[in-house]
Amino acid sequence: MKIGLVVRLIVLLLLLAFLVSPQSFAGFFTLLTKNNQPPIYNQGSLLDLTLNHLAIVGIATLAATIIAVGLAILVTRPFGAEFLPLSRSLANIGQTFPPVAVLALAVPMLGFGTAPTLVALFLYGLLPIFENTLTGLSNLPSAVTDAAKGVGMTGWQRLLKVELPLALPVILAGIRLSVVISLATATIGSTVAARTLGEVIIAGLLSGNTAFVLQGGLIVGALAVLIYDALSALERFLMARTGQAGRAAA
């Protein structure tokens, strides 16, 4: 456990160092270039691209979380149970249409830039959050919910004070999956002029510069691993705090 934490801290520090001062790593990336190609991406700031990439993923995930959790709450109430098939169909839209197809359909309506990428990531992130929230709210300990009813809590009080706190680790597992998927998928947003780390990868592919491709891939990969581990740790903390075990979805 301690070794794993040390490794993650080293990865985080190396990532921060590279983003703040990429030229310090030029010696290593020079080994991957040919014909005097630049060893470090020089068509923009790697730090700015990374922050913009994270912002796009964060906005899309927040929107997907609000809609997916809201739908799951609706269909787990007696008055909304009949909408479960429709809600599932809506949540599955993003998985039915690949992000590239969503981008192709969104560009004529929204134009080039960040907007089509946000739409694609939003749709792609709905399903894991919806299904995990549905699972979390549908598998609550009956003794706890019965006790909440016994003390006279209203439906909304039970939802806010009992159900959502108990389901939160499982919901967070869905958000974790959505974030990791979006981090990788956001790179294709650069094909429609969104400012993401896909710019670095595409520039490397077009110029045959392996160093650029590796830089973009390593940053995205490091971010995915670090964020995944951080959210996993938060899930474990929440489960321990609520006395649960083994309920979070993988």
Side-chain angles (χ1 to χ4, degrees):
M1 189 70 175
K2 291 183 178 179
I3 295 177
L5 180 59
V6 170
V7 171
R8 290 169 178 79
L9 286 174
I10 291 173
V11 171
L12 176 60
L13 291 174
L14 285 173
L15 176 61
L16 292 174
F18 178 65
L19 293 176
V20 172
S21 181
Q23 291 300 329
S24 300
F25 296 78
F28 168 75
F29 287 105
T30 298
L31 301 174
L32 303 173
T33 62
K34 56 186 178 181
N35 302 324
N36 295 318
Q37 292 174 321
I40 301 296
Y41 182 69
N42 58 356
Q43 299 172 32
S45 166
L46 287 173
L47 179 59
D48 288 345
L49 286 174
T50 300
L51 293 176
N52 206 60
H53 191 106
L54 289 172
I56 291 173
V57 170
I59 293 170
T61 302
L62 177 61
T65 299
I66 292 171
I67 298 300
V69 172
L71 284 175
I73 290 173
L74 172 67
V75 300
T76 52
R77 305 305 99 183
F79 60 82
E82 63 184 286
F83 296 105
L84 177 57
L86 175 60
S87 298
R88 269 216 167 97
S89 297
L90 291 173
N92 271 296
I93 288 177
Q95 304 295 323
T96 303
F97 295 96
V100 174
V102 175
L103 288 175
L105 293 172
V107 166
M109 295 182 289
L110 302 175
F112 288 90
T114 300
T117 305
L118 285 172
V119 171
L121 296 184
F122 164 75
L123 292 176
Y124 215 55
L126 281 174
L127 184 61
I129 303 174
F130 174 76
E131 289 294 345
N132 274 49
T133 304
L134 191 61
T135 299
L137 292 175
S138 301
N139 293 280
L140 296 169
S142 57
V144 176
T145 55
D146 289 343
K149 292 178 182 177
V151 298
M153 284 188 175
T154 65
W156 283 111
Q157 286 175 329
R158 292 197 302 272
L159 174 66
L160 296 176
K161 296 182 179 181
V162 178
E163 296 178 20
L164 283 177
L166 286 175
L168 188 55
V170 186
I171 297 172
L172 192 58
I175 295 173
R176 166 169 52 87
L177 293 176
S178 181
V179 168
V180 173
I181 291 171
S182 294
L183 278 168
T185 307
T187 56
I188 67 171
S190 292
T191 61
V192 293
R195 296 280 293 167
T196 74
L197 288 164
E199 281 190 21
V200 186
I201 297 173
I202 292 173
L205 292 173
L206 292 177
S207 63
N209 190 331
T210 305
F212 285 6
V213 176
L214 184 61
Q215 285 161 38
L218 284 176
I219 295 173
V220 172
L223 288 173
V225 170
L226 291 171
I227 293 175
Y228 182 96
D229 286 347
L231 291 176
S232 294
L234 181 56
E235 288 169 43
R236 291 192 294 271
F237 170 77
L238 291 173
M239 292 181 71
R241 186 177 181 182
T242 55
Q244 303 175 77
R247 293 185 60 229

